[in-house]
């Protein structure tokens, strides 16, 4: 059961994008590199006319989704409040102390993500100050087949059904990314057997990752990983530490869900 993903549907029965779709196109123009943008920059990035952007910004500012910032605009704190109210946000809050301990023990970058469609959405990242710049930042979406987090998550899907739904060829980020659906399914079976997923330079050249799933009621609701230079793998038992950390998160989630939050995560059928 792949998590649902609204994607970029126009939200209408016709071909003309709805005002809600246009608003989200405008909001998606903001990113980690462009956190403050002018009206003209937003128009270019979103592909919307300046007049439309101007009207949308006025309404989004009123709603608290966007805030004025000197000569430009930025994402409003209202969206942060909404984002933190998700079950994934709760999972991230529960996991954070455990992720911090894992980061301190390994000395490497620790990441957490969840599956949306065929992408991994990064929920948390704890990195050393001298760590290399990576394409994975909080909120980033990357093809699941290219990342250790994604492999750990996909391995807990129904693999027979997954084979029929995956895009073919699969998207790739580097020359080492898996693009064959058959090869991916074979690899996911191995990940399921091992309890951890590994990738080397499949998402970004020079970097490797090991990941373990956070499994609730038979479903991988999230995953955590340790990233490191592919030329300098850790000498410690990272796989064991990841499994232990993931299980600690699961136990704490179960304790929290027992307090009336059982419906927040999927149940076995």
């Amino acid at each position: 059961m792949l998590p649902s993903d609204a994607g970029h549907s126009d939200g209408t029965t016709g071909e003309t994008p709805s005002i809600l779709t246009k608003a989200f196109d405008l909001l998606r123009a903001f990113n980690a590199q462009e956190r403050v943008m002018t009206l003209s920059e937003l128009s270019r990035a979103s592909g919307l006319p300046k007049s439309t952007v101007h009207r949308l910004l006025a309404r989004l500012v009123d709603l608290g989704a966007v805030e004025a910032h000197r000569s430009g605009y930025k994402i409003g704190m209202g969206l942060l409040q909404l984002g933190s109210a998700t079950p994934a946000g709760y999972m991230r809050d529960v996991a954070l102390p455990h992720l911090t301990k894992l980061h301190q023990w390994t000395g490497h970058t620790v990441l957490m993500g969840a599956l949306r469609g065929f992408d991994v959405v990064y929920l948390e990242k704890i990195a050393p100050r001298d760590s290399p710049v990576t394409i994975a930042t909080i909120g980033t979406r990357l093809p699941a087949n290219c990342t250790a987090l994604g492999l750990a998550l996909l391995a807990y899907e129904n693999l027979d059904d997954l084979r029929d739904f995956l895009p073919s060829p699969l998207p790739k980020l580097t020359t080492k990314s898996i693009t064959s659906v058959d090869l991916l399914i074979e690899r996911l079976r191995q990940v399921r057997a091992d309890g951890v997923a590994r990738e080397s330079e499949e998402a970004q050249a020079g970097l490797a990752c090991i990941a373990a799933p956070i499994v609730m009621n038979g479903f991988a609701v999230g995953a955590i990983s340790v990233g490191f230079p592919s030329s300098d793998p850790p000498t410690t038992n990272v796989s064991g530490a990841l499994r232990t950390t993931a299980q600690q998160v699961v136990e704490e989630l179960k304790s929290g869900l027992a307090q009336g939050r059982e419906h927040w995560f999927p149940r076995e059928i």
Side-chain angles (χ1 to χ4, degrees), residues 86-187:
T86 64
Y90 171 74
M91 179 171 62
R92 177 259 179 200
D93 291 343
V94 167
L96 189 55
H98 302 288
L99 302 181
T100 301
K101 290 180 181 178
L102 183 62
H103 165 66
Q104 292 171 341
W105 184 75
T106 63
H108 291 289
T109 299
V110 172
L111 299 145
M112 180 179 185
L115 194 65
R116 290 297 180 269
F118 299 115
D119 292 337
V120 170
V121 179
Y122 286 82
L123 304 175
E124 187 56 76
K125 178 179 181 179
I126 307 174
R129 288 186 177 181
D130 60 350
S131 64
V133 176
T134 69
I135 59 175
T137 59
I138 296 175
T140 297
R141 297 176 71 118
L142 293 179
N145 59 291
C146 300
T147 70
L149 284 174
L151 295 173
L153 290 161
L154 288 174
Y156 278 79
E157 297 294 323
N158 182 312
L159 298 185
D160 292 330
D161 289 344
L162 187 63
R163 185 191 300 274
D164 296 329
F165 286 106
L166 285 169
S168 182
L170 297 165
K172 68 176 183 178
L173 295 175
T174 74
T175 57
K176 295 187 178 181
S177 300
I178 299 176
T179 56
S180 165
V181 171
D182 288 340
L183 288 178
L184 177 65
I185 296 297
E186 181 181 337
R187 187 164 175 189

Side-chain angles (χ1 to χ4, degrees), residues 42-90:
L42 286 167
S43 176
R44 287 194 296 272
S46 65
L48 297 170
K50 284 186 180 180
S51 58
T52 301
V53 171
H54 185 268
R55 290 195 301 271
L56 287 172
L57 284 172
R59 186 59 179 143
L60 290 170
V61 168
D62 288 342
L63 294 171
V66 171
E67 297 175 2
H69 182 88
R70 297 176 184 171
S71 61
Y73 298 88
K74 61 184 178 182
I75 291 290
M77 297 295 271
L79 289 186
L80 177 63
Q81 181 182 12
L82 289 174
S84 65
T86 64
Y90 171 74

